[in-house]
Amino acid sequence: MKKIKVIGSYITKFGELWDRSLESLFEEAVFGSLNSVDGEKFTNRKVTHQYGTTMSEAKFKLSDIDAVFVANMAAGQFANQLHLNALVSQMLPNNPVSFRVEAACASGSMAIEMAELGLLSGRYRTVLVVGAEKMTDAMVSDSTKILAGASEYQKEYGSTFPALYALLAQAHMQEYGTTTNQLAKIASKNHIHALNNPKAQFRKEIPIDVINNSMVVASPLRLFDCSPISDGAASVILTTKNIKKYSNKPTIEGFGHGQDSLSLVDRKSLTELSATKIAANQAYRQAKVKPKDISFAEVHDCFTIAELLACEDLGFFRKGEAGKAIDNNMTTYGGKLVVNPSGGLKACGHPVGATGVKQIAFLSEYLEKNSKIKGKTFALAHNVGGSGATAIVHILSKTNK
Amino acid sequence: MNIQPAQYHRSTKEWHHLIGEKGRVLLSTKVEVSSPELEDYLPYSYLIVKLNNGKKVELMGESKTDFEIGDSVELELRKAGEVSSSSVIPYCLKAVKLD
């Protein structure tokens, strides 16, 4: 595969950002990532706000951006704003061609995948991918209905996302004896990880007994098993140009994409997400690595059971053994690998359209800061749409000489 | 639940032939938090049922009833809301526990 470098990235603060609009989140992420790239200076007549101290000394040449890929799930319902590709493209003076990508909670990683395909085809050489979601302008109860649109809503009347993942949790518990305490440990671990992430929505340790005694949303899932409603945006700049110049930047080594039925009843197994397994196998094969080579992973923990399933489906642990591994602290610092160092969707937040882009942006920055050992360090991003109908896996690396 | 006549016409075609089918609960969750249109039913069970004909369906259980894995159920018609602004009274299916 042609080398794709992640040369710029930016993540806005995630949370209930009442004073921020969807457009301002997009704008902060776009110019944040542009300003993170070393390059020529540019001025942008269309910038109306200043983000950070480097705005007036932005270094990246805007004309280098051949195309923009915009990820979002439901701005039409949350903010009555459509035509998002044009909304973002107009922020750049050269109005690059732009595309909007939607795949529910996997919108972000699918936008990155579309961008990668554009780069690999040779059509584009440098692209900007931005994902954003502004969710808190809607009532939480309305958000539940909007998000249910990622399932077969017309067909499965009465389903909610927590209910669908609760059924997956029940299936795993029946088959492998997974416990609610193991799910609570996942939530607790991700809240601890988020303490080190200034962009995270929740930077607070949550004791396991508080998680185990929180209100039931859909049995066995409780409030603290669920990721929050969030606002936020993230952006990355990918290039196949001047690779030598960016040799110290993270590389996308491989990616994969799996699909399964929207409806749970049409699936072969409810104790795994087969879309994840398909996507992971493709990504591992392309990157020429194995699960044991991964040091850090951002996995899609929209609910705690989703992280447990991911740890097995991505091959980090054998089927039915992730619960025990979590009990033995194998997915945190000092364990086999660090899962969700950002805090994951659970504690960092889950602005759905931004999440997949945030995973790549976070891992790129994390690899730059944490891959001190000589040689290659590998990280994996796993993003899921719906209750597992779409899954996209990326493998990144950073080489230290 | 606000539903347009054409939508309702299509959805009934999906499920009308399932009325009266019997089966067993494969998986069950009790939903305690939901969207406003379903709040009147809370708490309700959401189930995966394997019908005797081998087909699997996802649907709500009868309101205020606890379901366990293995319970025998029958699918019945359920009123899913009041008259909507389009003058449609929405109906769908529910699973009812058999003794």
Side-chain angles (χ1 to χ4, degrees):
Chain A
M1 183 174 105
K2 201 189 285 183
K3 277 205 185 310
I4 298 175
K5 287 284 183 182
V6 185
I7 60 169
S9 62
Y10 187 86
I11 304 168
T12 70
K13 172 76 181 161
F14 280 13
E16 283 191 49
L17 310 176
W18 285 24
D19 57 340
R20 301 298 303 278
S21 67
L22 177 71
E23 188 176 0
S24 79
L25 289 168
F26 270 127
E27 191 175 303
E28 179 182 346
V30 165
F31 289 100
S33 64
L34 289 168
N35 285 325
S36 73
V37 185
D38 293 332
E40 296 176 34
K41 285 189 179 183
F42 77 93
T43 55
N44 179 8
R45 60 187 161 80
K46 291 187 180 173
V47 177
T48 52
H49 304 289
Q50 299 280 314
Y51 297 111
T53 54
T54 58
M55 192 69 219
S56 58
E57 295 174 8
K59 289 178 174 177
F60 193 72
K61 197 165 78 179
L62 285 179
S63 58
D64 285 344
I65 301 293
D66 298 324
V68 174
F69 292 79
V70 180
N72 177 268
M73 177 184 167
Q77 288 157 292
F78 282 123
N80 197 31
Q81 178 66 62
L82 294 167
H83 210 174
L84 299 180
N85 63 317
L87 185 80
V88 176
S89 179
Q90 70 171 355
M91 292 175 186
L92 303 172
N94 56 335
N95 287 100
V97 293
S98 58
F99 307 86
R100 184 254 177 102
V101 180
E102 190 278 313
C105 307
S107 301
S109 58
M110 190 177 278
I112 289 178
E113 184 188 12
M114 295 295 103
E116 288 160 342
L117 294 173
L119 291 168
L120 294 174
S121 74
R123 178 89 179 188
Y124 309 118
R125 298 183 73 193
T126 303
V127 299
L128 184 145
V129 188
V130 61
E133 205 78 53
K134 174 68 192 171
M135 301 173 79
T136 64
D137 280 357
M139 300 293 290
V140 173
S141 51
D142 292 333
S143 299
T144 305
K145 186 179 173 185
I146 293 168
L147 294 172
S151 63
E152 270 191 296
Y153 185 67
Q154 294 283 338
K155 212 167 169 181
E156 299 157 16
Y157 181 69
S159 75
T160 63
F161 259 100
L164 297 178
Y165 274 95
L167 291 173
L168 295 174
Q170 298 281 16
H172 208 275
M173 288 170 161
Q174 284 287 319
E175 184 80 22
Y176 299 112
T178 301
T179 66
T180 52
N181 205 55
Q182 288 166 343
L183 299 182
K185 282 192 90 168
I186 293 171
S188 173
K189 180 259 300 174
N190 287 347
H191 274 279
I192 290 169
H193 287 182
L195 293 172
N196 294 321
N197 180 3
K199 303 291 178 67
Q201 183 163 355
F202 300 118
R203 301 184 71 200
K204 189 181 175 188
E205 201 170 332
I206 310 286
I208 287 183
D209 63 316
V210 172
I211 296 167
N212 279 331
N213 289 307
S214 60
M215 65 181 280
V216 174
V217 175
S219 61
L221 301 180
R222 294 173 178 272
L223 180 67
F224 284 106
D225 287 299
C226 309
S227 58
I229 301 288
S230 317
D231 305 325
S235 176
V236 291
I237 297 170
L238 310 177
T239 193
T240 53
K241 199 162 79 175
N242 299 329
I243 290 300
K244 278 187 185 165
K245 179 180 163 190
Y246 297 116
S247 62
N248 63 336
K249 291 286 181 182
T251 305
I252 292 175
E253 297 278 354
F255 58 93
H257 179 153
Q259 294 287 159
D260 202 346
S261 64
L262 276 169
S263 175
L264 295 186
V265 295
D266 295 325
R267 296 189 190 168
K268 282 183 190 153
S269 168
L270 292 180
T271 56
E272 64 180 32
L273 297 187
S274 71
T276 294
K277 292 173 91 170
I278 294 165
N281 286 338
Q282 289 172 9
Y284 286 134
R285 206 165 43 238
Q286 193 172 39
K288 297 186 177 68
V289 296
K290 295 196 178 325
K292 66 176 174 55
D293 299 317
I294 305 296
S295 300
F296 314 106
E298 284 287 310
V299 309
H300 196 91
D301 61 326
C302 50
F303 299 94
T304 48
I305 182 64
E307 177 169 321
L308 187 141
L309 292 172
C311 284
E312 294 176 354
D313 297 339
L314 293 166
F316 300 148
F317 304 103
R318 279 190 285 197
K319 201 72 216 158
E321 293 186 3
K324 208 164 99 187
I326 287 151
D327 271 338
N328 294 329
N329 301 317
M330 298 298 281
T331 58
T332 188
Y333 297 94
K336 188 176 176 185
L337 79 166
V338 183
V339 176
N340 283 325
S342 75
L345 285 57
K346 174 70 200 76
C348 182
H350 183 27
V352 287
T355 289
V357 183
K358 166 239 148 183
Q359 291 178 325
I360 301 293
F362 180 86
L363 285 175
S364 300
E365 294 168 17
Y366 199 78
L367 278 169
E368 292 207 58
K369 286 178 204 153
N370 293 283
S371 55
K372 308 244 186 283
I373 312 157
K374 234 179 174 184
K376 260 187 182 180
T377 306
F378 292 97
L380 180 148
H382 162 251
N383 192 200
V384 171
S387 56
T390 301
I392 295 173
V393 170
H394 279 88
I395 295 172
L396 291 85
S397 76
K398 168 85 169 61
T399 304
N400 285 331
K401 289 174 185 165
Chain B
M1 185 190 193
N2 192 13
I3 189 164
Q4 297 303 312
Q7 280 179 302
Y8 188 62
H9 167 71
R10 288 197 302 275
S11 68
T12 54
K13 283 210 280 191
E14 294 269 340
W15 53 253
H16 75 94
H17 57 283
L18 294 172
I19 296 168
E21 289 286 342
K22 294 187 174 84
R24 284 190 185 276
V25 173
L26 274 187
L27 291 169
S28 160
T29 178
K30 191 181 242 186
V31 179
E32 310 250 357
V33 179
S34 192
S35 55
E37 65 190 32
L38 294 165
E39 269 171 5
D40 289 345
Y41 300 98
L42 292 173
Y44 64 84
S45 293
Y46 193 70
L47 314 169
I48 293 182
V49 172
K50 185 170 187 183
L51 300 175
N52 293 341
N53 63 14
K55 187 179 167 67
K56 287 187 221 165
V57 290
E58 276 177 49
L59 78 172
M60 283 172 74
E62 189 173 26
S63 191
K64 324 288 184 207
T65 304
D66 287 328
F67 289 85
E68 288 181 14
I69 292 168
D71 281 348
S72 292
V73 295
E74 182 173 0
L75 307 195
E76 289 187 1
L77 202 59
R78 180 171 73 80
K79 191 175 173 187
E82 298 307 316
V83 182
S84 71
S85 59
S86 55
S87 302
V88 171
I89 303 173
Y91 280 85
C92 59
L93 291 176
K94 66 181 174 187
V96 175
K97 206 148 105 170
L98 296 172
D99 292 333

